[in-house]
Structures are given as structure tokens and as C-alpha cells.
Amino acid sequence: MKIIIKKDYEELSKVAASIIGDELKSNPNMVLGLATGSTPIGTYNELIRMHKEEALDFSKVVTFNLDEYLNIPYSNPNSYHYFMEDNLFKHINVKAENIHIPDGNAENVEKFCIEYDKKIEETGGIDLQILGIGENGHIAFNEPAPTLPLETNITELTESTINANSRFFDSIDEVPKKAITMGIGSIMKSKKILLLANGEKKADIIAKILKNKVVTTHIPASLLLLHPDVTIIMDEDAAKGYLE
Ligand code: F6R
């Protein structure tokens, strides 16, 4: 596991975007795994800048998002469909038909989950997956649990995640309690993974993972220790516990 510590969020975002940009230049057809949440916004802003100012070309890129809430209208700014359009897709030249986001409104969600994994495989698998991390160690919506499904699945969000996500909603009651998420296996099959973490709130979980050197489904992100090509990029605040 490679660890990169940058001074602040801006620097972290620049490094993450430049790694993605380099990958994209060497493989214009790359399959890019994307995350939502606050963490990757700076990276997406930098990618948008690179597209506009340096002609970074997304025309052949295929994207797969990690997750989406269940039964949320995509016109709702809190849906991940809306988030991706607003924070990245509408600003770059990715083709609409190359964008994949779990469909939380699918008629048959179970069937959709199976087809989502199949589609990832058919494209040749994810070349580079971007991940954020929850304060409880979740990745995508794989929440701490005694066992974790390998494949894309429907999952119940934990109280800690509902609380963390409530900052985007008018009230906690409006936060969806279920979501579709890529499974741990779907994520671990990615050829390369970039885990981004910023801010003090992430310091404890990052320290636990990097210092304990133990894998447990109770900290889903700890399973990344088993992956052959993971880079963690964090700012000094998120690295505090690790550096202590
Ligand atoms: C989002 C996702 C989540 C977030 C995590 C951190 O697609 O998969 O696992 O990465 O909840 O969220 P932020 O970045 O808002 O702290």
C-alpha cells in the first residue's frame, strides 16, 4: 500500500487528479470507478480544470459509480445521479452512454445488481477506482458487519452513516435508509485503487487501519490492505493519528 500525505485538501485533490489524468492519458479507454461524497469534489474540480485548460479527454472513458440511495428521485440534489452530473459529468466530455450509476429506482433491483457486476466485467473491469472512507471505515456503502457481500447488493445504512449523511438533508428523517452498493469483491477486483481521506474526522479510522495491520469486516476499508495496488492519499489532518 502506497501512502501519500499532502499538506491540505487542495494538494490532496491535485495529486489525486494528476494520478487519474496520467492514467487516462496512457489509457484513453480506461474504466474509471467513481465515488460521491465531499471527499472527491476537489479532485473532480481539478479534473474539470484539466479538461478545460489542458484538453484532458474523457470521450472514451467508461465510468461506474459505487453506490446510490434506494428509491430517491434523481431530480433530488442528494441523489448520487444528481451529484455526479452536477459535480463532474456535465463539465467534461464523457459520453452519456458510457456512464453507469446503480439504479436505485430499478423495477427489479436484485436483478439490476447482478447485471451491474456483469457489465463491469464485460467492460474488462475497473482500471482505477476512487474511494472515500466513512468514519466507521465503510467503503462505498459496505458497512461494518460480521460478513460482507462480495457482489453489488442492497444494503441498510448504519446509524453512523445516516447521521453523517444527514448534513446534506433538511432533516435526518429524509436520509434514505437503504442503498445499492458495489460489493467488496466488486471493489477489490479493480486493478488500481485510490483511497482519499481528508480532515480530522477520518484520522482515527485511518490510524486504526494503517497501524493495526489487521483485516476485519468490522472495518471494511481494512480489506484494502489485501489489494496489490492501493494508494491512500490523505491530508495532514487525516494522517494525524497515523503519524502520532
Ligand atoms: C460515496 C461513498 C461513501 C463515501 C464516504 C465518505 O459514493 O461510497 O463511502 O466515500 O461515506 O464520505 P465523505 O467523502 O462525504 O466523507
Side-chain angles (χ1 to χ4, degrees):
M1 185 172 281
K2 199 171 154 201
I3 297 170
I4 301 175
I5 300 171
K6 301 308 289 185
K7 181 168 64 72
D8 54 24
Y9 179 64
E10 199 185 326
E11 293 294 308
L12 171 164
S13 302
K14 276 191 190 152
V15 179
S18 92
I19 292 174
I20 299 163
D22 286 348
E23 189 81 19
L24 181 50
K25 282 177 218 156
S26 70
N27 177 13
N29 300 297
M30 83 183 282
V31 181
L32 180 58
L34 296 168
T36 59
S38 314
T39 310
I41 291 179
T43 305
Y44 295 159
N45 285 341
E46 181 61 12
L47 287 174
I48 293 165
R49 189 201 62 73
M50 288 157 82
H51 169 65
K52 295 199 166 140
E53 292 175 12
E54 297 164 15
L56 187 64
D57 180 20
F58 292 84
S59 63
K60 293 185 188 137
V61 171
V62 176
T63 69
F64 283 93
N65 264 78
L66 289 169
D67 40 18
E68 174 61 284
Y69 292 121
L70 215 60
N71 300 321
I72 190 168
Y74 299 147
S75 55
N76 183 330
N78 289 309
S79 78
Y80 291 172
H81 278 74
Y82 191 104
F83 176 99
M84 288 311 302
E85 189 59 27
D86 204 37
N87 286 294
L88 184 63
F89 295 149
K90 74 176 181 196
H91 307 286
I92 58 175
N93 64 335
V94 60
K95 291 204 176 94
E97 63 265 31
N98 288 346
I99 293 171
H100 305 89
I101 306 177
D103 185 2
N105 294 308
E107 222 165 88
N108 183 338
V109 187
E110 281 83 7
K111 189 165 160 237
F112 177 85
C113 289
I114 295 167
E115 282 166 2
Y116 200 66
D117 282 325
K118 239 192 230 159
K119 217 176 261 173
I120 295 175
E121 257 171 49
E122 278 164 14
T123 61
I126 292 170
D127 292 306
L128 176 60
Q129 175 68 56
I130 301 164
L131 294 178
I133 180 170
E135 288 164 44
N136 63 1
H138 73 225
I139 45 175
F141 276 132
N142 295 287
E143 299 279 19
T147 62
L148 291 173
L150 291 176
E151 296 172 339
T152 296
N153 65 90
I154 303 161
T155 185
E156 305 222 357
L157 309 191
T158 59
E159 215 173 300
S160 130
T161 300
I162 293 169
N163 284 334
N165 291 1
S166 67
R167 67 191 193 275
F168 301 115
F169 291 80
D170 288 339
S171 82
I172 194 153
D173 297 335
E174 286 178 29
V175 186
K177 311 291 182 287
K178 286 187 176 182
I180 298 184
T181 180
M182 265 190 212
I184 283 289
S186 332
I187 294 170
M188 291 288 278
K189 278 184 196 161
S190 310
K191 289 163 199 139
K192 206 179 251 199
I193 294 176
L194 278 192
L195 177 74
L196 312 179
N198 70 290
E200 274 184 31
K201 281 186 173 173
K202 304 291 168 71
D204 285 350
I205 196 71
I206 291 286
K208 243 186 222 169
I209 294 168
L210 295 180
K211 282 178 156 177
N212 291 0
K213 296 202 175 109
V214 162
V215 291
T216 166
T217 55
H218 293 287
I219 305 178
S222 70
L223 296 168
L224 297 173
L225 293 166
L226 298 171
H227 191 282
D229 194 348
V230 178
T231 302
I232 300 192
I233 311 176
M234 51 190 162
D235 67 358
E236 283 176 0
D237 285 343
K240 241 177 215 169
Y242 165 64
L243 294 173
E244 257 166 22

